[in-house]
Amino acid sequence: MNLTERLVRYDDLQPCLTAFIDTRSPGSDKKENFTIIGPGVAENPDQHVHIKLPHGFNIGGARQPPGCLNSQHSHLTNEVFVVHSGKWAFRSGVDASDSEVILTAGDVISLPTDVFRGFENVGDDAGYLFAVLGGDDPGRVLWAPQVFDLAKEFGLLLMEDGSLVDTLAGESAREGLLPMPRTSQEQVSEHRVLDSDALEGIVIRSSDFHWSGNTVLSGFDGVEEVSLLGPANDAEAISAGHLHWPHEFVLRALRFSPDAFVPVHHRNEEEVIFIHQGCCCITVDGESLDLLSGDTLTTPIGSGRAFANEGEEPCIAYVTRRGDQPGAPGFNEG
Ligand SMILES: [Fe+2]
């Protein structure tokens, strides 16, 4: 796999417009879903997966125009969103009425397994969310009961194997395959109610990031790092993230001033780098790529990588790595 096969440019993202059961429901019918790394949770086998390599987590994306909704659902693993652009309302509860929080560019939310969540673009422009789902196999989506009813009205049936049958296109279910049962009241009652304070408690505002110049990686001029998700890690000289409970992956952010440079270093796990702002020249084993805002790169295990901000504005990147205590970066001697 060469380096360009590990890069997904924002401009090259391939959406699936029919990935989920709510894809025809009014308000949800314009959403674009992306599976960037890993199998994801799409119900449509036509969903394009950009990078199939298992990472211990899945990377996805959602792009929605103003007023577009992602219906209430829950997952079997943690779901984390980084707001790349737009203004988003995240709502909790089976009918979206338990609580609401508004997020803007750079903010992060980590949703636990036992909470129904949905989100709407409440801004004036299209918005994009970068998403991390825990595990190589995040399992299927559990939709709120009313999502099944609405989908049926618009010709979509969710089957027990997770596939969708489009009755408007004349499709019928494979023989012996039964529809997925509508989510029961018992399943709903296994979910928690989050009030407004509890919902705010799983959010990190970008204005509250505690940037540090003293981590192992940020000991270079113009480089700062902040831990967002995951416990403290002495090996990296990094304190606990604002959301510090174990996710089985960590999320950090890096900020590079113009001309900032991090020399060649190695890591023992893939490093998924998402450029939120500005641009960054990343050199991996001698091969250089200019990453632009919205681009995602995953570096090979053990490869040597260097970062340089050759642009005129600060660059902010979000970095996801597997495990709760990933190792320190290894810098070359001398
Ligand atoms: Fe989700």
Side-chain angles (χ1 to χ4, degrees), residues 78-96:
N78 289 298
E79 185 174 43
V80 172
F81 293 100
V82 173
V83 176
H84 179 56
S85 58
K87 182 178 173 188
W88 296 82
F90 283 83
R91 302 187 183 106
S92 75
V94 68
D95 59 0

Side-chain angles (χ1 to χ4, degrees), residues 242-253:
H242 187 96
L243 307 181
H244 52 77
W245 56 89
H247 284 67
E248 296 180 9
F249 56 87
V250 296
L251 181 70
R252 319 267 195 238

